[in-house]
Amino acid sequence: MDTWEGTWPLVLMTLAIAVAVWLPVVSLALTALLLIGQLAHLIPPMYANYWAIYIGSFIALAFIAWTTQGRMRLAAAGANVLFASVMTFLMLSWRYGAGVGWFSQIGGDSGILLRNGWQLFALLLMIAAACFTLGLLLSLYQERGSLFRARDLAERTLQATEVDLIVEQERTRIARDLHDVLAHSLAVIAAQADGSRYLSKDQPKAVLGALENIAGSARTALVDAQRVIEGVRGDGMAVPQPQFSDVEGLVEGLQRGSLKIQTSESGTRMELSRGQQVAVFRIVQECLTNALKHGGRGTAVRLHFDWTGPGLTVHVASEVASGKHGQPVVAGPQRLGRGLPGMRERAHLAGGWLTAGPDGEQFRVTAFIPYLADVDDPAGENTVLEHPVTHNDLEVAAAGNTDRND
């Protein structure tokens, strides 16, 4: 190997094949280095017994076509076309390969290149094209296998999701039917008991006490039913309900790269029932979600909790997105979704009220939730629900007390 003229060509072509997968540019550079070295007479030219070492460049091309995509493939193909032309010249020129011992050098380079140059060049291109095609076929086969595996995985996932969806839909339907029947009946019982008690003040105390117990028991059963129906996941594990203390975590989560929220608080915190705490959390959550949805990332939001009155007052003010001419964009009635009605319903069920609407360049939401001690019925008749019921239930429940029909 120390005395053989083909040692350096063999080493360089072997290295070009070895690094073709990981470093395709280096592989092409090694082939170019070999050809430049031969043109500069720094590396011995190819002769008849080892000229096929040049095919190593085309083998490296096959690996590049297999493992790369796009521009790298085109660059490697174009470079090998150039390499093939240089190889043809080196093999046929009398200054280098002397026709690799196959042809006489009568007439110099021009004569032999005209007679045999295109034939040798076409042969090298055919070998290069065959290697390039083989690499492409291997790449397509590998990609096809990946697509089949991805398709199979997607189909299995889709089937599992469809099964879960069917089960969840059936559970939801059963829960909805049970809710409609049970909640409606209990609301009617509570409303009738309240109405009879309010309209029959002159009845004996025992009768009024019985009606009061009926109304209170109906409301308690309604709350328990709501917890069982809506507060239980499909796996039977109870879902923890958010409390007022969870508002801080909600705000911190949306402040990280989404909203610019400024929070403040006045007065001394008072006790709220579990249902009222859930209502406050859901109202704040809906307000912040709407601010992010309609205002986008970076929207400024002011959130204030006022504990100084007869109940907790929540103020939320967010910037309104501007139109093309800088005018505030306000959603019209046709874009009214479930958010605002849902927040009003939660506030009403918690014994309070809620207002919402644009105010100049801001959208303001104000919610009032009375303290637990200020509820007119300390015995628990007006226990608030942790989950909203249907509007029909509200109308039936309000039938016995016209003061709640606001």
Side-chain angles (χ1 to χ4, degrees), residues 38 59 79 90 295 325 361:
Q38 290 180 334
I59 298 176
L90 288 172
H325 304 288
E361 296 182 355

Side-chain angles (χ1 to χ4, degrees), residues 38-356:
Q38 290 180 334
L39 287 173
H41 294 284
L42 299 176
I43 299 176
M46 298 295 189
Y47 291 105
N49 59 340
Y50 60 87
W51 69 268
I53 293 177
Y54 276 147
I55 299 178
S57 174
F58 307 142
I59 298 176
L61 175 63
F63 283 105
I64 294 175
W66 182 8
T67 57
T68 62
Q69 294 181 351
R71 295 181 178 179
M72 191 65 242
R73 283 178 177 172
L74 296 178
N80 274 269
V81 172
L82 178 61
F83 294 161
S85 63
V86 176
M87 293 174 187
T88 300
F89 177 76
L90 288 172
M91 292 168 65
L92 296 182
S93 173
W94 66 272
R95 297 179 181 87
Y96 300 100
V100 291
W102 301 333
F103 310 104
S104 63
Q105 295 300 312
I106 301 175
D109 287 346
S110 58
I112 194 171
L113 289 174
L114 288 176
R115 288 194 305 270
N116 307 108
W118 289 108
Q119 300 175 17
L120 181 57
F121 180 65
L123 175 63
L124 296 177
L125 284 184
M126 288 177 59
I127 299 174
C131 293
F132 186 77
T133 302
L134 178 61
L136 286 179
L137 292 176
L138 290 173
S139 177
L140 292 175
Y141 177 78
Q142 187 176 16
E143 184 177 357
R144 180 172 176 267
S146 300
L147 290 176
F148 281 161
R149 288 191 295 271
R151 186 193 64 181
D152 294 340
L153 178 60
E155 288 179 351
R156 291 194 298 269
T157 304
L158 180 60
Q159 291 176 356
T161 304
E162 289 178 349
V163 172
D164 294 340
L165 179 60
I166 293 173
V167 172
E168 186 63 27
Q169 287 177 344
E170 186 64 19
R171 288 173 178 169
T172 302
R173 185 187 64 81
I174 296 173
R176 184 174 61 249
D177 294 343
L178 181 60
H179 170 270
D180 292 341
V181 174
L182 185 60
H184 178 78
S185 300
L186 293 175
V188 169
I189 294 173
Q192 294 295 332
D194 282 338
S196 299
R197 183 161 54 91
Y198 293 145
L199 296 176
S200 304
K201 296 293 185 180
D202 55 347
Q203 292 290 334
K205 186 176 181 180
V207 175
L208 295 178
L211 292 174
E212 181 179 348
N213 290 334
I214 293 173
S217 299
R219 289 192 177 88
T220 301
L222 184 57
V223 172
D224 293 339
Q226 290 280 4
R227 290 176 180 173
V228 172
I229 294 173
E230 299 183 8
V232 176
R233 293 200 308 257
D235 56 2
M237 299 297 293
V239 179
Q241 295 297 322
Q243 301 298 312
F244 182 81
S245 58
D246 297 324
V247 173
E248 182 178 356
L250 173 66
V251 171
E252 291 179 355
L254 289 173
Q255 276 180 330
R256 291 194 290 266
S258 297
L259 296 174
K260 299 178 181 178
I261 306 175
Q262 179 182 356
T263 60
S264 58
E265 196 169 350
S266 60
T268 303
R269 290 191 181 185
M270 302 292 290
E271 181 182 0
L272 297 175
S273 68
R274 291 184 60 187
Q276 289 175 322
Q277 293 185 52
V278 174
V280 172
F281 179 88
R282 294 304 184 191
I283 290 172
V284 173
Q285 183 183 45
E286 183 68 25
C287 291
L288 298 181
T289 302
N290 288 340
L292 179 61
K293 176 181 178 181
H294 298 290
R297 298 173 66 89
T299 300
V301 181
R302 289 186 299 169
L303 175 61
H304 179 71
F305 299 99
D306 185 3
W307 302 86
T308 58
L312 170 62
T313 304
V314 182
H315 301 277
V316 184
S318 59
E319 295 178 346
V320 178
S322 300
K324 296 182 179 180
H325 304 288
Q327 298 297 327
V329 177
V330 181
Q334 68 277 10
R335 296 185 61 185
L336 182 63
R338 300 181 180 179
L340 294 181
M343 288 193 295
R344 290 194 181 97
E345 185 173 335
R346 286 188 180 275
H348 288 170
L349 290 173
W353 48 265
L354 181 141
T355 61

